[in-house]
Amino acid sequence: MIRALLARRKQGYRTLDYPERIPPLPERFQGLPSLAAEFPAEAVRSSEDLCPTEAIGSDGTGPFLDLGRCLFCGRCARSQPSLVRFSRDHALSARKREELLVRPGDRDYPHARPLEEALRRLYGRSLKLRQVSAGGCNACEADVNVLSTIAFDLGRFGIQMVASPRHADGLLVTGPVTGNMSLALQKTWEAVPPPRIVIAVGSCAISGGLFRDHPETEGGVAGRLPVDLFVPGCPPHPLTILDGLLRLLGRLPAPRP
């Protein structure tokens, strides 16, 4: 026992002081992207050919970069560095699917708003989630698991992953929802007592990712369940996931640099 206490004293405090301070991110980290104010139509066409998920496209409003499809591979930025840039901003989550579209010249990203007041009273200090891997590759699942380690210590915010949906307040879903997992996801959702929330983590859970046109997938969670929070990435950084959860609960103070 004495040895354990001495070892603990030697190790010191290992938990990050996030969200009070943002920890340093890896040099190759790619966060919130931006499009140049003047984004020509030919650049959209070349990006569509370049992007494996067609995350860059155009609609009636003009060009866009869809964070829900984006794999953050950086091919578009390397090909057209004057038109597409990835920042080091890790805060990417949004409440609505359409809010994941980044437009040319956008300066203010609509970060995820908190839940309604009644739900915040229920979940603000204690949120239990059942994680469902609906056919994921285990990358998003691994970064969700990282949040339970001593560095992030998700439990200090009152957020925990539980083994049974009957003990949960909602689902955290990863993966494109394959045919083999579709019924299991539906049954897990039905087993969660209402009111309940759904969090889609990763491009596969949001749009199907690389597999969105595959006949054996449903192209994400939203086609089957109502989604309350979208967390983009492939996979999203643990800080991106944590940022989304805290914003959803209205518990994110302004971080110090």
Side-chain angles (χ1 to χ4, degrees):
M1 182 65 180
I2 294 297
R3 289 182 179 179
L5 291 174
L6 291 175
R8 180 67 183 87
R9 180 181 179 183
K10 182 179 180 181
Q11 291 172 3
Y13 187 75
R14 297 295 184 91
T15 304
L16 299 174
D17 55 1
Y18 184 86
E20 285 75 20
R21 182 177 287 105
I22 300 174
L25 294 167
E27 284 296 325
R28 61 181 181 177
F29 174 79
Q30 297 192 126
L32 182 65
S34 62
L35 300 183
E38 299 296 330
F39 202 90
E42 57 269 20
V44 174
R45 289 191 291 270
S46 62
S47 297
E48 288 175 340
D49 294 335
L50 186 69
C51 181
T53 58
E54 298 179 345
I56 295 181
S58 182
D59 56 17
T61 307
F64 63 80
L65 193 158
D66 186 352
L67 296 184
R69 293 184 183 180
C70 183
L71 304 181
F72 293 80
C73 64
R75 293 176 66 183
C76 55
R78 290 191 297 270
S79 174
Q80 305 175 99
S82 62
L83 298 178
V84 184
R85 294 183 180 180
F86 284 86
S87 72
R88 299 181 65 77
D89 186 355
H90 67 281
L92 304 173
S93 60
R95 291 292 307 278
K96 296 181 179 180
R97 179 67 178 90
E98 59 268 23
E99 292 175 344
L100 295 176
L101 299 183
V102 175
R103 302 283 182 177
D106 279 356
R107 295 187 179 275
D108 296 317
Y109 182 69
H111 296 295
R113 300 176 304 281
L115 287 166
E116 295 70 24
E117 184 178 353
L119 290 178
R120 289 205 308 275
R121 285 200 300 267
L122 281 175
Y123 305 142
R125 297 295 172 183
S126 178
L127 178 65
K128 314 298 182 186
L129 297 171
R130 176 67 169 96
Q131 198 272 319
V132 179
S133 177
C137 70
N138 206 39
C140 292
E141 292 84 348
D143 277 356
V144 170
N145 289 341
V146 164
L147 292 176
S148 298
T149 64
I150 190 172
F152 294 93
D153 191 12
L154 187 65
R156 65 191 163 116
F157 302 106
I159 306 172
Q160 293 180 322
M161 302 295 167
V162 295
S164 170
R166 300 196 182 278
H167 300 160
D169 302 310
L171 302 182
L172 188 152
V173 186
T174 56
V177 188
T178 60
N180 286 339
M181 282 300 299
S182 179
L183 180 59
L185 176 62
Q186 183 69 36
K187 287 186 174 181
T188 305
W189 160 252
E190 293 171 354
V192 178
R196 51 204 169 188
I197 63 175
V198 175
I199 301 167
V201 173
S203 62
C204 283
I206 296 173
S207 67
L210 283 171
F211 312 101
R212 64 188 181 89
D213 293 324
H214 197 285
E216 289 300 321
T217 72
E218 296 191 4
V221 183
R224 176 166 290 272
L225 304 177
V227 178
D228 298 279
L229 181 69
F230 297 91
V231 185
C234 186
H237 193 280
L239 284 179
T240 300
I241 304 171
L242 181 56
D243 172 88
L245 293 174
L246 294 181
R247 288 181 187 274
L248 190 67
L249 298 177
R251 296 187 55 190
L252 193 66
R256 301 192 302 272

